[in-house]
Amino acid sequence: MEDSTRLRELQTRAKRLIDSGAHGEALAIIDQVIQEHPESAACHAIRGAALSRLGRAEESRAAFERAVLLEPNEARHHFNLASQLRGMGLMSEALEAAEQASALNPELPQLRELLGDLRMESPPSEDATYRGSAVEDVPSSAGNEAEPPPPPIMESAASAELADGEPLAIRKWNWGAFWLTGLWAISHRLYVAGIAIFLAHIVSLVVYGVITVQVIPPIVKHQVTVGTEMAPEDVERLMAPYAVPANIAQLLGLAALVAAIWFGASGNRWAWRARAFRDVDHFFVVQRLWMVWAWIVVGAAILLSCLFFIVIIASVASNLPLTPQGAE
């Protein structure tokens, strides 16, 4: 487990170094990782991306071919290879790799655009080439052409990224971070925020629990025994000892609600930065588990709250006289 976590962390670090332009440093890291995990297709794909940006086209091609060999059913590896081959001017081979990627996943981001470009740029048929050469003899200038820029490399299931290297696909609401803010924050290495929110929830629950136990039973007892609602001044008298704690609990609850909304809106981005994930798909698997557990906890909390009030009311009712005061 620790080994796989370390592998993901190093892969994520290498990707971010590539995004920041530190291609040589990323290559050094991923080469060390490949020595320990030679069968990791993702590592070879990252290596191909770093090599491509360093201008080492043939080595980049070999790295992407290795990734394809290790995971032949992964469309993004074929896409990477097609992009690299296109950058090397090998249009026919690039088109073949792109079509293989399309056969595996036609909805892959940027694939449709790549296929369209390759079909336009691929060399014409032999007959068309012969007819074109008969009309005009154009001297070859291949030796004088500038080396093409590195191709767009897809290193994860979602290729479109923000400027800071975060996939656009993660810009969604996070229900786990919203409902389980404190625990979620601590789990994603946001320790200070997580502990603060967790303590705010605990203090609020304790205060409201004490108020419920100390204030509600006398009000219910008065309602049942007298038959009328308790006077407002009497309610205020009962609440007086708890006025300050209640105000503090309200402020803490409001702060926790604001934090929960903030975490729900920004949690995915913070999670991506704080933890190492294999790719976007793995990221969403983890966050969906948090969402499932969040709804389970919310449902259990609602059920326990209802049971708590039922127990309080039942306890008060068991100590009441059979008939209200003043009844004939």
Side-chain angles (χ1 to χ4, degrees):
M1 185 66 178
E2 293 181 358
D3 188 57
S4 62
T5 300
R6 179 175 177 273
L7 172 61
R8 292 194 299 271
E9 290 177 348
L10 290 173
Q11 289 174 343
T12 301
R13 182 182 174 190
K15 290 178 183 180
R16 292 175 179 172
L17 285 170
I18 292 174
D19 293 333
S20 65
H23 308 139
E25 188 177 349
L27 180 62
I29 291 174
I30 208 63
D31 279 343
Q32 293 180 0
V33 177
I34 288 177
Q35 290 181 1
E36 301 176 7
H37 304 274
E39 302 304 312
S40 171
C43 287
H44 287 282
I46 297 169
R47 185 173 189 269
L51 288 167
S52 177
R53 284 153 174 77
L54 288 169
R56 295 159 63 175
E58 287 295 342
E59 294 175 81
S60 176
R61 173 185 178 179
F64 288 132
E65 288 177 342
R66 179 62 176 168
V68 168
L69 182 63
L70 290 171
E71 289 183 354
N73 294 324
E74 182 53 68
R76 68 177 182 268
H77 296 325
H78 294 274
F79 175 93
N80 290 341
L81 178 59
S83 299
Q84 180 60 42
L85 290 170
R86 181 193 178 193
M88 298 170 66
L90 304 174
M91 299 303 177
S92 298
E93 296 179 45
L95 180 59
E96 182 180 352
E99 288 176 342
Q100 181 62 38
S102 180
L104 292 169
N105 184 3
E107 302 302 322
L108 200 66
Q110 296 187 349
L111 177 57
R112 187 174 300 176
E113 179 183 352
L114 177 63
L115 272 172
D117 292 342
L118 285 172
R119 285 165 180 162
M120 292 178 60
E121 297 169 2
S122 293
S125 63
E126 293 183 2
D127 292 342
T129 303
Y130 175 78
R131 288 194 300 271
S133 63
V135 174
E136 183 179 2
D137 186 12
V138 180
S140 174
S141 59
N144 300 324
E145 290 182 352
E147 185 175 344
I153 303 302
M154 184 179 298
E155 297 159 26
S156 63
S159 61
E161 296 183 344
L162 301 176
D164 55 2
E166 296 168 0
L168 286 171
I170 69 172
R171 301 182 71 180
K172 297 180 179 179
W173 182 266
N174 190 314
W175 284 108
F178 176 75
W179 287 117
L180 303 177
T181 311
L183 293 175
W184 185 95
I186 293 172
S187 174
H188 290 79
R189 303 177 184 176
L190 303 172
Y191 301 113
V192 175
I195 292 173
I197 295 170
F198 197 64
L199 289 175
H201 281 298
I202 291 177
V203 171
S204 298
L205 289 174
V206 170
V207 171
Y208 286 128
V210 170
I211 292 174
T212 300
V213 172
Q214 297 296 324
V215 175
I216 290 182
I219 295 175
V220 174
K221 183 176 181 180
H222 182 277
Q223 176 75 30
V224 174
T225 56
V226 178
T228 60
E229 294 183 359
M230 182 178 286
E233 56 271 17
D234 293 331
V235 175
E236 292 179 3
R237 180 178 53 78
L238 286 173
M239 284 291 300
Y242 311 104
V244 174
N247 290 332
I248 294 175
Q250 287 179 352
L251 291 175
L252 291 176
L254 179 60
L257 176 60
V258 172
I261 295 173
W262 190 16
F263 271 72
S266 305
N268 279 350
R269 299 186 67 184
W270 295 340
W272 182 263
R273 296 174 186 175
R275 296 186 59 179
F277 299 93
R278 291 192 300 271
D279 49 34
V280 176
D281 294 334
H282 177 239
F283 173 86
F284 280 117
V285 168
V286 173
Q287 299 309 316
R288 287 190 190 103
L289 286 175
W290 274 99
M291 179 184 68
V292 170
W293 279 108
W295 286 113
I296 291 175
V297 170
V298 169
I302 294 174
L303 179 61
L304 289 175
S305 298
C306 294
L307 291 175
F308 178 73
F309 280 104
I310 291 173
V311 169
I312 292 294
I313 294 173
S315 175
V316 173
S318 65
N319 295 320
L320 296 176
L322 296 178
T323 58
Q325 293 180 1
E328 294 182 359

